[in-house]
Amino acid sequence: MNLTLELELTKALPVVPGISIRYLWPMVDYLVVGFGLAGVSFCETLAQQGKTFMVVSDASQTASQVAAGTYNPVILKRFTMAWDAVEQLRYALPFYKGLETKLGVHLNYKMPVYRRFASIEEQNMWFRAADQEGLQAFLSLDLKTNTNTAIDAPFGYGEVLKTGRIDCPVLLEAYRRHLIEKNAFLFQPFDFDAFTIHNGHVSYKEVHARNVVFCEGYGLHKNPYFNYLPLTGTKGEYLTIKVPLLKIGHAIKASIFCMPLPTADHYLVGATYKWKDKTNTPTAAVRSELQEKLEHFLKCDYEVVDHTAGIRPTVVDRRPLVGKHPVYGQLHVLNGFGSRGVLVGPTAAKILLRHIEADETIPQEMDIQRFTKKYYPDLL
């Protein structure tokens, strides 16, 4: 630490018993709180721009760890494009390719999604949607006939193109190891009693940063600075099954999805959307629900080998939460990705960093200012 910065910190910080100013961390550009898809996306965006940062996170939020990790720009319930999905996809795929190279891991498993039709009417809806501008590049006009005896799909499938899966557990673990090697990761719950806002920077225990970005997922509801934001949270549960007879290389989307995993004969099945239960604990009732829906189209024996759950950070208007605190200019939030974190994360991280560093405007749909009028009316 240089002498000038040491003197500045000595003046700015309160005396903390047992901590010598001589051993404080140097000032970093960013303190990042939370380490799911939002945290990783922002950290990598910082690294690309040569910014210094420190991450503080524990394992309390599991949504990204258990997420399916699919990237699919089409909402298959209504055959419509997801919000801003084309631009998000265009930016996200090179982003993850760069991470594969940087971390030396395989993350992107490209695979089509087969939408199982429940009726002739659904087939007709599909073909009408496939003629619409924007959807033409993603909805194949070639009806897929089912030939797999392990699957019941008498009306066939529609194929969604340019889709795949990012292996979120591998990404999170590889990036965490990368940060630990760089002495840039503190594995601990974030203690707001040890967090102080100063004039021009923030401090957390021995760490000092010019800005802090909260990427806490559903944990944001415990954040005293951002818990006014309407983050509702939906619980999702997933099964991992072993099915030696299935042998498919594509995902099947029906009332739930069934997706092949890298381990031979293993598939991920999910997911549920529960609004009241806010725990990360898998439940027997949801396991039965998932199995009942799975057995509606899977017609062979299988074994359940794992059952996981997590709380997705969902927002009342189904848009991300990105931006600066209305009172404290050093505090920022990156959250609210819902079930589309793989697609939304890289783009939202880029937008937030450009906003902080270059004062670029955040798109209105994701800017947290859309909630300022309700919660901080005196500021407008």
Side-chain angles (χ1 to χ4, degrees):
M1 178 182 297
N2 62 56
L3 179 60
T4 301
L5 178 57
E6 184 171 343
L7 290 173
E8 289 177 355
L9 290 174
T10 304
K11 295 175 182 177
L13 295 176
V15 175
V16 180
I19 296 181
S20 168
I21 191 70
R22 186 178 306 280
Y23 296 105
L24 290 173
W25 287 84
M27 181 79 75
V28 294
D29 295 317
Y30 288 86
L31 176 65
V32 180
V33 181
F35 195 67
L37 284 168
V40 169
S41 295
F42 195 72
C43 288
E44 181 58 17
T45 303
L46 290 172
Q48 291 173 1
Q49 298 301 314
K51 303 296 181 181
T52 57
F53 60 91
M54 175 66 67
V55 175
V56 181
S57 184
D58 60 11
S60 62
Q61 300 304 312
T62 61
S64 294
Q65 183 68 37
V66 305
T70 53
Y71 55 88
N72 170 21
V74 182
I75 299 173
L76 290 175
K77 185 176 182 179
R78 301 186 296 272
F79 304 147
T80 57
M81 290 296 295
W83 168 73
D84 201 32
V86 175
E87 289 302 316
Q88 292 168 5
L89 182 65
R90 184 177 293 121
Y91 185 74
L93 294 185
F95 184 88
Y96 292 116
K97 180 64 176 177
L99 282 171
E100 286 183 320
T101 301
K102 176 176 182 171
L103 302 174
V105 293
H106 186 188
L107 299 174
N108 187 3
Y109 292 85
K110 298 179 181 180
M111 70 179 77
V113 174
Y114 283 19
R115 170 59 155 83
R116 178 182 179 270
F117 294 131
S119 65
I120 296 296
E121 288 74 19
E122 280 197 343
Q123 290 181 357
N124 294 333
M125 290 171 57
W126 175 276
F127 289 121
R128 285 196 297 270
D131 282 335
Q132 297 177 13
E133 184 177 357
L135 286 166
Q136 294 172 343
F138 299 100
L139 300 185
S140 172
L141 290 172
D142 295 328
L143 182 67
K144 297 291 183 181
T145 301
N146 178 54
T147 58
N148 191 326
T149 57
I151 295 289
D152 179 39
F155 298 100
Y157 310 95
E159 180 181 3
V160 188
L161 309 172
K162 304 179 183 180
T163 58
R165 171 181 177 267
I166 299 299
D167 195 326
C168 294
V170 168
L171 169 60
L172 295 173
E173 181 56 30
Y175 210 99
R176 183 183 293 109
R177 290 198 307 267
H178 169 73
L179 294 182
I180 290 172
E181 291 172 0
K182 292 184 173 296
N183 198 29
F185 193 98
L186 298 176
F187 186 81
Q188 58 187 247
F190 190 82
D191 181 4
F192 281 96
D193 291 335
F195 177 68
T196 307
I197 303 171
H198 307 281
N199 184 18
H201 75 283
V202 300
S203 62
Y204 176 70
K205 298 183 179 179
E206 297 91 345
V207 180
H208 306 276
R210 294 179 178 85
N211 293 280
V212 57
V213 177
F214 291 101
C215 307
E216 303 159 288
Y218 184 64
L220 191 74
H221 75 286
K222 296 181 179 179
N223 184 315
Y225 299 100
F226 287 105
N227 61 5
Y228 71 91
L229 293 171
L231 188 76
T232 56
T234 54
K235 182 174 182 177
E237 297 193 37
Y238 307 82
L239 302 178
T240 300
I241 62 173
K242 184 177 182 181
V243 198
L245 294 179
L246 187 51
K247 306 298 183 187
I248 58 172
H250 55 267
I252 295 176
K253 177 66 176 74
S255 58
I256 56 172
F257 68 77
C258 180
M259 176 187 308
L261 295 172
T263 305
D265 298 329
H266 284 64
Y267 299 83
L268 187 66
V269 173
T272 54
Y273 291 80
K274 304 297 182 182
W275 297 91
K276 294 183 179 180
D277 184 358
K278 304 299 185 183
T279 72
N280 292 320
T281 305
T283 61
V286 171
R287 172 173 169 155
S288 296
E289 177 185 339
L290 287 171
Q291 289 187 262
E292 180 179 349
K293 291 180 177 179
L294 174 66
E295 291 164 11
H296 185 69
F297 63 88
L298 181 65
K299 300 303 177 183
C300 64
D301 292 336
Y302 65 91
E303 173 190 0
V304 176
V305 297
D306 197 14
H307 183 189
T308 57
I311 310 298
R312 305 179 192 88
T314 50
V315 186
V316 292
D317 63 0
R318 300 182 183 275
R319 295 291 183 265
L321 298 172
V322 181
K324 182 183 300 183
H325 192 275
V327 176
Y328 302 105
Q330 304 101 306
L331 277 58
H332 313 270
V333 66
L334 185 66
N335 208 315
F337 296 169
S339 60
R340 292 188 172 269
V342 161
L343 269 181
V344 177
T347 295
K350 174 184 66 173
I351 287 172
L352 178 58
L353 185 59
R354 288 180 177 178
H355 173 70
I356 299 170
E357 296 291 331
D359 201 27
E360 291 190 10
T361 301
I362 298 174
Q364 184 178 0
E365 297 94 335
M366 64 172 63
D367 194 336
I368 61 170
Q369 286 190 14
R370 67 192 190 271
F371 300 114
T372 301
K373 182 177 181 180
K374 179 176 180 180
Y375 295 99
Y376 288 89
D378 295 340
L379 297 179
L380 298 177

